[in-house]
Amino acid sequence: MYQHIVIAVDGSRTSAKALAEALRIAKMAQSSLSLVHVASLRDMAIEGVGALDTHQLHDLAFRQAREVLDKAEKQAINEGVSRVDCHIAESWEGGKDMADALIRFADSRKAELIVIGTHGRSGLAHLLLGSFAENVMRKTHCPLLVVRGEED
């Protein structure tokens, strides 16, 4: 079974559903678990935080990522996963670069499974926003579990 699982967490409902699945597998397999948050600095800048300089943007991204990771880490520990670590990565380029950051981390930790949530966008939304899940799927050599959100 899987010895090391990497899961991307972002605080969304879809991410929460993927985390629940990763925790279920990690408990069953007694795996170690790495929680990864990839902060999209470009999206933060576009969403109205643009008045911040680069240093302030990094600080804000780190604080938000830490909140998401702390919550996920507490959940993992409360559910009986004893070997948990957290990692924050940043991206200025969006979906493809974010996927690359997750894959680089998983490769560096010799992960045996990556778990991610997907919103399952299609059509124009997919074209404009890209697909983090699709980019991870296309680029990783590691087994990948993609969990769709309930709203999809």
Side-chain angles (χ1 to χ4, degrees):
M1 206 65 181
Y2 304 112
Q3 297 299 305
H4 189 115
I5 300 170
V6 168
I7 170 134
V9 294
D10 65 7
S12 68
R13 287 186 295 181
T14 303
S15 172
K17 189 173 179 186
L19 176 60
E21 189 65 21
L23 293 175
R24 189 179 69 76
I25 295 168
K27 287 188 299 187
M28 196 172 16
Q30 298 180 348
S31 307
S32 62
L33 187 67
S34 289
L35 305 167
V36 180
H37 179 83
V38 183
S40 176
L41 299 176
R42 180 190 70 172
D43 290 347
M44 290 178 72
I46 290 170
E47 290 173 359
V49 191
L52 300 178
D53 67 29
T54 303
H55 180 71
Q56 292 170 315
L57 198 57
H58 283 275
D59 287 347
L60 178 61
F62 182 83
R63 283 194 310 273
Q64 289 177 348
R66 194 72 255 161
E67 288 175 15
V68 168
L69 289 169
D70 286 348
K71 183 178 176 184
E73 183 178 31
K74 284 179 188 173
Q75 182 180 347
I77 291 168
N78 287 341
E79 292 192 28
V81 178
S82 58
R83 295 178 293 152
V84 181
D85 68 275
C86 299
H87 178 74
I88 300 170
E90 296 176 343
S91 165
W92 277 104
E93 302 299 321
K96 290 180 183 179
D97 188 53
M98 293 172 70
D100 289 343
L102 178 66
I103 293 166
R104 278 192 305 274
F105 177 80
D107 288 347
S108 75
R109 295 294 175 96
K110 297 182 178 18
E112 295 169 318
L113 177 66
I114 298 173
V115 180
I116 58 176
T118 184
H119 299 285
R121 292 183 183 104
S122 61
L124 185 58
H126 175 73
L127 181 64
L128 294 175
L129 299 172
S131 172
F132 174 75
E134 183 178 342
N135 284 303
V136 173
M137 182 183 69
R138 290 178 186 271
K139 295 180 177 187
T140 189
H141 298 287
C142 183
L144 176 65
L145 175 60
V146 179
V147 178
R148 289 185 64 127
E150 292 176 14
E151 66 276 4
D152 298 328

